Amino acid sequence: MTHPLLELAKTRTVLFDGALGTELMARGLGPGVPPELWNADRPDAVREVHAAYFEAGADVVSTNSFGATPLKLAAHGLEARAFELNRASARLAREAAPAGRFVAGSMGPTGRFLQPQGPATVVELTAAYAEQARALADGGVDILIVETQYDLREALAALRGAKSVTSLPVFVTLTFNSFPRGCFTIMGDPAGRAAGELEQAGADAVGANCTLTTDRMAGCIRSMRAATALPLIAQANAGQPEAGADGKVGYAQTVEEYVRPVPEILEAGAVFVGGCCGTNPDTIRALARIIRR
Amino acid sequence: MTKNEIYPKMSEAIVSGDRAAARALAEEAVRSGLDLLEVVEQGYVPGIQKVGELWEQGEYFLPELITSAEAMKAAMAVLDPELKLKALGSRLGGKVVIGTVEGDIHDIGKNLVASMLQAGGFEVFDLGADVKLERFIDKAEDVGAGLICLSALLTTTMMNQRRFMGLLHEKGLRDKYKVLVGGAPASRKWAEEIGADGYAENAVAAVKLAKSLAGR
């Protein structure tokens, strides 16, 4: 598929943004409030975070819609507002985007386990993702990114759901744990096999995000590189969250520690890089310096 | 079947997640009049321990863990009533109150810990998710639990784990209970800082820790 973002990735490393939820919390998002609600209630704050990431050098920002499948919103009794909140998230990111920059519509896990581990069916999940994808496309995103998936079956359902309602490129990232014998999701999907199956199902880029810190990410990306010719995405965490004595939550890694292994991740084959939990505009600024060096 | 024949089969039924076999073997043990405490400890528990090892090594994943825990539950569903009849149940484990703290609706990890604790011989009272802090105490007082497990997945709601410790102190009940904390943002350091009795990285580690705190 030819798309300006995929074309750009053929010429240089493309930079995604960092964490969104913690940036909204820093602007007053309270505990128990779904961040997506701010697309309606505090649009300025959401736009401001996107603008900060663009200003830090991000080529692409992800919309404030990670938890906005109707299935996930149902936990807050907000499923009836899924379309509205997703479309609003796309519009806010679009409004914050300077010319020539991109908006990725974020689609995170539904939180439901598929049968036989749980009650959910592939049909049900596919429909939920299709509804979210339709709203994000309607709001003007450039691409969709199915993120932080821990079950390859759900990732495939999301991909197929998205492809059923839009012709936009769909990127897919899963989250892996690293073991001596390789990277696996908690459901046991190996990184290489996941990349191969997603490619066959029509993904336009695949990758790994969350859970792993930058020093563990390269191995995971190498496994994917060996299994697919698709462009690869790497969005690592900045350590694990820790609460300080003052009750404020911080992440274990400094920006310097975070970016040090990044050249190895690029060498392993990642063409899209960005941050995940624990990262902020400073992290993205530091990443921008490295990839544009 | 002799003990030496049936115990490895019990363990194998758990490791392979074979619910029907786990149940049938338990029924056979009851019929043959075997020492049922020994059946649990030498037949089934080694199986669930092996599952834990496989999980830690990255050989087993969530689907295997869930099927093994269910096989264990199927066996315990047969053995529990018999053990209770003989008033031996209380020697097996202890009572545990578990839940996800208020403001937090994530319960996947907590459910897994609850299943594994149950599989490990504890009597588990699962309060669900978004549980008011007072309810943990009320339930523990009510059922005579020794252990309270608090889950929190969010960096914001983990503060309720700290608040819970304060609440226990206020009520003068701090020394009556052992408190375990878990969830993505929690850590050993966090447990120490808020004065909880322990933290476990995953469901398998949680059972080990619960057992050591229960003096088993």
Side-chain angles (χ1 to χ4, degrees):
Chain A
M1 179 187 289
T2 306
H3 183 278
L5 184 56
L6 292 166
E7 290 305 310
L8 181 62
K10 287 177 187 163
T11 63
R12 65 168 173 84
T13 305
V14 174
L15 187 55
F16 268 75
D17 58 355
L20 182 52
T22 38
E23 293 300 307
L24 294 178
M25 283 177 206
R27 288 163 175 79
L29 177 71
V33 180
E36 292 80 9
L37 207 50
W38 273 29
N39 296 332
D41 297 350
R42 291 283 310 278
D44 290 347
V46 177
R47 253 191 312 253
E48 186 180 290
V49 175
H50 291 318
Y53 278 120
F54 279 128
E55 193 273 325
D59 298 300
V60 191
V61 301
S62 300
T63 55
N64 181 32
S65 56
F66 181 81
T69 56
L71 284 176
K72 186 84 178 180
L73 287 174
H76 302 280
L78 291 170
E79 66 273 29
R81 295 182 65 185
F83 194 89
E84 169 214 340
L85 293 174
N86 278 295
R87 187 174 50 188
S89 76
R91 288 191 172 160
L92 292 173
R94 190 83 271 162
E95 285 161 17
R101 310 279 188 99
F102 299 88
V103 172
S106 167
M107 311 208 295
T110 59
R112 307 284 171 99
F113 272 118
L114 280 165
Q115 291 172 354
Q117 285 82 32
T121 64
V122 167
V123 172
E124 189 185 358
L125 298 195
T126 307
Y129 283 107
E131 183 176 344
Q132 183 178 27
R134 204 162 47 83
L136 289 167
D138 194 65
V141 300
D142 297 296
I143 65 148
L144 293 162
I145 183 163
V146 174
E147 300 189 279
T148 326
Q149 298 289 324
Y150 47 78
D151 185 339
L152 179 57
R153 296 170 301 167
E154 178 165 351
L156 287 164
L159 172 61
R160 293 188 174 119
K163 290 279 181 186
S164 73
V165 293
T166 167
S167 57
L168 293 175
V170 182
F171 292 16
V172 183
T173 60
L174 291 101
T175 189
F176 298 100
N177 286 293
S178 173
F179 294 97
R181 65 187 189 97
C183 288
F184 297 86
T185 66
I186 56 164
M187 300 304 282
D189 308 302
R193 196 184 80 207
E197 287 196 29
L198 288 163
E199 177 172 24
Q200 288 208 328
D204 296 278
V206 293
N209 78 330
C210 210
T211 312
L212 297 176
T213 46
T214 46
D215 53 335
R216 292 293 183 93
M217 187 52 92
C220 211
I221 293 299
R222 271 192 290 271
S223 310
M224 294 187 128
R225 181 76 299 157
T228 177
L230 289 178
L232 297 179
I233 314 152
Q235 295 170 297
N237 275 3
Q240 301 304 320
E242 284 178 8
D246 55 354
K248 281 185 94 174
V249 176
Y251 282 76
Q253 281 189 322
T254 63
V255 169
E256 291 69 30
E257 286 166 337
Y258 183 85
V259 299
R260 201 174 299 130
V262 168
E264 196 196 345
I265 297 172
L266 299 178
E267 216 166 281
V271 290
F272 294 99
V273 295
C276 200
C277 304
T279 62
N280 56 39
D282 290 337
T283 325
I284 298 308
R285 204 167 284 119
L287 276 178
R289 274 198 298 273
I290 288 188
I291 67 174
R292 285 172 195 150
R293 185 159 69 191
Chain B
M1 269 189 280
T2 67
K3 289 196 289 189
N4 288 346
E5 287 164 352
I6 200 169
Y7 288 169
K9 286 202 167 69
M10 288 167 169
S11 169
E12 175 50 32
I14 301 305
V15 174
S16 61
D18 187 339
R19 205 169 1 176
R23 186 189 302 117
L25 289 162
E27 282 162 357
E28 188 175 334
V30 172
R31 270 198 310 273
S32 323
L34 293 181
D35 174 347
L36 297 184
L37 262 186
E38 199 183 286
V39 162
V40 174
E41 282 163 3
Q42 296 183 31
Y44 290 105
V45 167
I48 208 78
Q49 276 167 349
K50 176 74 185 165
V51 169
E53 284 163 24
L54 290 168
W55 159 269
E56 281 170 352
Q57 290 158 8
E59 296 289 335
Y60 267 20
F61 294 96
L62 211 56
E64 293 84 9
L65 205 56
I66 291 171
T67 40
S68 289
E70 280 176 358
M72 191 75 183
K73 266 196 239 173
M76 292 308 292
V78 175
L79 300 174
D80 254 344
E82 301 292 329
L83 287 166
K84 284 216 176 85
L85 272 179
K86 299 188 170 71
L88 290 170
S90 59
R91 271 176 57 195
L92 264 183
K95 292 180 180 175
V96 182
V97 171
I98 187 170
T100 306
V101 296
E102 59 187 77
D104 201 326
I105 55 168
H106 297 90
D107 62 1
I108 292 169
K110 182 269 299 168
N111 290 346
L112 203 58
V113 173
S115 296
M116 292 298 284
L117 282 170
Q118 208 175 350
F122 288 88
E123 192 173 346
V124 177
F125 298 86
D126 186 347
L127 301 180
D130 194 9
V131 179
K132 287 258 169 289
L133 299 181
E134 290 77 7
R135 272 195 65 211
F136 285 96
I137 299 177
D138 293 346
K139 189 73 185 179
E141 289 282 287
D142 197 29
V143 301
L147 204 58
I148 300 176
C149 299
L150 305 175
S151 173
L153 195 95
L154 303 175
T155 47
T156 47
T157 53
M158 73 190 283
M159 297 307 156
N160 284 331
Q161 295 177 333
R162 185 203 293 274
R163 277 187 47 224
F164 180 80
M165 298 313 296
L167 194 64
L168 265 188
H169 276 290
E170 269 170 40
K171 293 184 180 276
L173 294 170
R174 174 62 193 97
D175 297 330
K176 193 168 172 187
Y177 299 105
K178 300 284 186 193
V179 181
L180 299 191
V181 294
S187 63
R188 179 162 307 176
K189 203 170 128 198
W190 170 246
E192 278 167 19
E193 195 185 299
I194 65 173
D197 296 290
Y199 156 79
E201 168 88 21
N202 56 52
V204 171
V207 176
K208 276 189 201 162
L209 182 61
K211 282 184 175 174
S212 84
L213 286 173
R216 289 173 61 202

